[in-house]
Amino acid sequence: MMDFFFFSFSSFFTFLGHCCVQQQGHGLSVTAAPNVSGPQEVSVEIGESVRGEDVYIIQSGCGEINDNLMELLIMINACKIASSSRVTAVIPCFPYARQDKKDKSRAPISAKLVANMLSVAGADHIITMDLHASQIQGFFDIPVDNLYAEPAVLQWIRENISDWKNCIIVSPDAGGAKSRVTSIADRLNVEFALIHKERKKANEVDRMVLVGDVKDRVAILVDDMADTCGTICHAADKLLSAGATKVYAILTHGIFSGPAISRINSAAFEAVVVTNTIPQEDKMKHCSKIQVIDISMILAEAIRRTHNGESVSYLFSHVPL
């Protein structure tokens, strides 16, 4: 069986290391990161032969998103024209995922454009996690594995919230209620609530209405991502005023841009829990409420199963040991 190679860029070295550690003993060959040079253009040089090999390139849609996306595209193309057998892009946080539909006149569908770019660059397979909208998988003509952080989230809740049996799972918007929140509530055998929000404009919430009873319960806000954190912080205030005893927030992708950190520090959260699909080391230095769930073992196991031709559906409901 051919070896398989991990590649990553400087923005995601830590995650690469976690994946490598998870797969020790599985015949893994790990290469050094590509060289990225020049302030205006990206130049990639692969340090060893990848001819006929199974290549996995890890890059997330965070930080300097446009630069990171361009690095990923060029690296995919470099591996493809170097005669790699298969090139898989491992994108823990998919870039431009929120631009998945034409919600106003003359608006772009940028997520579809990114899908086209990845395909044209030469990607044969995409592994990602908690897409903002599952329909984004349909933008691709190549296989896409959309993994879920839900098993790791359930494990964290059971291990870290002592009175989780008296909790209520809350969606900060109606859009996330149907699948993500109801699924977690069903697996914990608890009730769920949702908050309907009305916006004046993007990233600015005008009014919130709570649907559900949170009185004398631990409220756990669950969402796929948080950017400026205005929504979840307003939601926390709404839940406390409605009688919740404690409020937690659990997010897959913690973008935390602009005033997000100061808002979290000022809010009444017990903890804001995020996965490491986006590196959080710098943010944690400025906010003690941020806690991280490591999902590198889920992606590492997905890579191993993909390489060996095994099913990945086990990972939709279980955390690998």
Side-chain angles (χ1 to χ4, degrees):
M1 180 179 293
M2 60 185 173
D3 289 334
F4 60 110
F5 289 73
F6 281 140
F7 286 97
S8 183
F9 293 87
S10 58
S11 62
F12 230 53
F13 268 156
T14 303
F15 199 94
L16 172 68
H18 288 176
C19 283
C20 295
V21 169
Q22 293 293 334
Q23 291 303 340
Q24 279 185 355
H26 292 286
L28 173 65
S29 294
V30 183
T31 70
N35 295 319
V36 181
S37 60
Q40 302 298 326
E41 296 183 355
V42 175
S43 176
V44 169
E45 183 178 349
I46 303 173
E48 58 184 281
S49 174
V50 294
R51 182 179 295 273
E53 304 293 357
D54 198 2
V55 174
Y56 294 83
I57 304 171
I58 305 174
Q59 180 75 301
S60 201
C62 59
E64 299 294 335
I65 293 177
N66 296 324
D67 291 344
N68 291 349
L69 178 59
M70 202 65 205
E71 289 174 358
L72 175 61
L73 294 171
I74 292 175
M75 186 62 192
I76 290 170
N77 188 251
C79 291
K80 200 65 179 178
I81 63 178
S83 301
S84 297
S85 173
R86 179 174 58 181
V87 179
T88 299
V90 182
I91 312 173
C93 180
F94 193 84
Y96 291 92
R98 286 176 286 183
Q99 298 183 37
D100 61 330
K101 59 184 177 294
K102 190 172 182 178
D103 54 359
K104 54 188 175 183
S105 298
R106 298 173 296 281
I109 306 177
S110 302
K112 169 63 173 173
L113 175 62
V114 172
N116 289 342
M117 293 165 68
L118 289 166
S119 297
V120 171
D124 299 297
H125 182 205
I126 305 294
I127 298 176
T128 187
M129 178 165 280
D130 275 352
L131 286 170
H132 187 63
S134 295
Q135 297 91 321
I136 291 175
Q137 295 172 87
F139 292 169
F140 290 88
D141 292 324
I142 57 176
V144 177
D145 285 321
N146 180 32
L147 304 175
Y148 303 118
E150 180 183 309
V153 167
L154 290 168
Q155 184 180 60
W156 189 92
I157 291 173
R158 292 186 177 111
E159 292 178 354
N160 293 276
I161 301 178
S162 57
D163 48 351
W164 64 267
K165 293 183 179 179
N166 186 40
C167 75
I168 183 167
I169 309 299
V170 184
S171 173
D173 59 73
K178 186 175 181 181
S179 56
R180 186 179 306 108
V181 169
T182 54
S183 176
I184 291 176
D186 288 345
R187 293 187 64 181
L188 291 174
N189 196 26
V190 298
E191 295 182 5
F192 77 94
L194 63 89
I195 294 174
H196 174 66
K197 61 186 179 184
E198 298 176 357
R199 294 182 184 271
K200 286 182 177 178
K201 56 184 180 180
N203 289 341
E204 184 176 325
V205 178
D206 181 29
R207 190 169 70 96
M208 285 187 159
V209 178
L210 175 63
V211 181
D213 182 15
V214 300
K215 186 174 177 60
D216 298 326
R217 294 183 180 181
V218 175
I220 304 176
L221 282 161
V222 176
D223 208 353
D224 67 318
M225 64 175 61
D227 190 352
T228 58
C229 293
T231 298
I232 62 168
C233 289
H234 288 154
D237 294 337
K238 186 75 176 178
L239 292 168
L240 287 173
S241 65
T245 57
K246 296 178 182 179
V247 179
Y248 294 83
I250 301 181
L251 316 158
T252 303
H253 312 297
I255 300 171
F256 300 148
S257 66
I261 297 301
S262 61
R263 285 175 174 173
I264 293 172
N265 283 326
S266 302
F269 289 112
E270 293 293 316
V272 175
V273 184
V274 296
T275 71
N276 57 345
T277 58
I278 296 174
Q280 299 294 340
E281 288 81 4
D282 291 339
K283 303 290 181 13
M284 293 174 70
K285 293 176 183 177
H286 299 96
C287 182
S288 60
K289 294 181 182 179
I290 296 177
Q291 298 183 30
V292 172
I293 299 173
D294 181 17
I295 50 83
S296 62
M297 68 284 191
I298 296 176
L299 290 173
E301 180 64 12
I303 290 170
R304 188 194 68 79
R305 287 171 176 260
T306 299
H307 178 69
N308 294 332
E310 302 172 16
S311 171
V312 299
S313 57
Y314 173 85
L315 301 176
F316 296 162
S317 55
H318 298 83
V319 177
L321 300 176

